[in-house]
Amino acid sequence: MRWRTSRRPLGARAAAAHARARGWTTCRWPRRPGPLPPLEGYTFQGYRNADGSVGTRNLLAITQTVQCVAGVVDFAVRRIRAELLPRTRTSTTWSALEHGYGCGVAIDAPDAEVPIRTLRHISLNPNFGGEVMVVSLGCEKLQPERLLPPGSIRDPRRARTAAEDAGLDVVCLQDDAHVGFMSMVEAHPAPGRVHLQRLNARRRETVPASELVVGVQCGGSDAFSGVTANPAVGFCTDLLVRAGATVMFSETTEVRDGIAQLTARAATPEVAEAMIERWPGTTPTCSAAASTAAPTPRRATRRAGCPTSSRRRWARSSRAAARRSSGCWRRARSCAQAARGPGLRRHAGQRLHLRHAAAGRRHEPARLHHRPRHPLRPGGGARW
Amino acid sequence: VVKVATRSELARRWHDLMDVDAGRIADGRAGIEDVGWALFRCLLEVASGRRTWAETLAAAQRADLVQPRARHLKGPQGPP
């Protein structure tokens, strides 16, 4: 087996040889499940929506167009929780969909649609039954009509009038009608009651398991994850797929070494080839950041990478302070000086700054994950 | 959120967080297939309305589920 040089898609057999040549191991269980028979007759009790999707919970969602309104929404939900829900005979619960996006999410960039689409689809979760309330500030770039364009909530019951065509229930905080903060808060429960009544009319009915959409996600690993929980979840995933359900998973960069498990389950050879094209550790995210695969550089490495000239310059310095300090400190300082670039020159009083910078560098050696200084972590305490 | 414990010791220690104990595979008390089937049935029950521990405690999701009444704090019904 030669190493691949062309980008031509591989056949199934070549793909297996390709994986073997790279040392991609496959576990013995179950190497190739083959065409497993579909599972028939498995059902659950779900809420069927007007658009055909099926929810597993009955939730009234309050979504927001911009994170600036999160404080008001939080306050309003707490108030609703305290006042409205205890007085309403309901099986419904309220869910505030917070997010951290500001106006930058709505710029006209090629991929700006991705976070907007994500927010939109979270708001259209089948568990909400299309009864989504939107809280808007008024001045944000991501206007409610852009978050949920007309027709995105496909509910024929809503399209009775033109005003209801969009199916959007928007509370705009900068509206002139609101006088004072409590007016904004009070604007939430009234439309909420209407949605709550509609949601309370939802009833569970028997639906096939093929309507399920399940996401699997790592919630913390230990040495046993790979031998107990992950294989069991994988087996369950096979069962769900055999029953016709949809399963999603994340952390796809970690799939690289288990790609044979996925290609063996691909619906068509084209899908398997697309996976192999996609996953040999060359995804743009990985190559651009080079952060997940690269080991954390040690201090000695950084020291060696320090420009000699600046080290010499520092060594030539006749300042008593520099002589007094240890070699380790001096090197760290010269590293910091080199890293700071030519923009900052030494001057009287610079020693303190350099020390500070050196300590800061020492505290975050990898520069990958920025962690603020903390007095209880090494190198984080106040020393001067 | 249905939480799967990797070890039985963890499932015992976090008895009010974990829904399925996959540590039985390591102990030899169950096979991968057994736990997979148990998880599959558990998922169908949860989809039908059974509350998971995470849902009961309203701790796992960012879109936290509001639990207005204390009577909801009783956890999943029986072992999965």
Side-chain angles (χ1 to χ4, degrees), chain A residues 29 39 42-45 56-57 59 77 81 85 88 90 93-98 204 209 212 214 222 224-225 227-229 231-233 235-236 239-240 243, chain B residues 4-7 10 22-23 25-26 32-37 39-41 43-52 55 62-69 71:
Chain A
W29 175 90
L39 291 176
Y42 286 91
T43 57
F44 69 101
Q45 303 292 315
T56 61
R57 293 291 181 271
L59 302 175
V77 166
R81 192 184 307 180
L85 282 183
T88 315
T90 175
T93 51
W94 290 64
S95 175
L97 304 175
E98 288 179 17
R204 287 190 185 268
L212 267 183
V214 181
D222 64 8
F224 279 80
S225 298
V227 290
T228 59
V233 171
F235 188 85
C236 175
L239 294 177
L240 285 166
Chain B
V4 184
T6 56
R7 292 172 288 134
L10 185 76
I25 297 170
I32 289 171
E33 289 85 354
D34 304 331
V35 178
W37 271 105
L39 183 56
F40 178 67
R41 295 201 184 88
L43 283 179
L44 290 182
E45 285 177 24
V46 169
S48 301
R50 194 184 106 183
R51 284 177 188 273
T52 63
E55 211 175 344
R62 183 160 173 78
D64 61 326
L65 305 173
V66 179
Q67 304 293 328
R69 276 162 259 181
R71 66 183 169 84

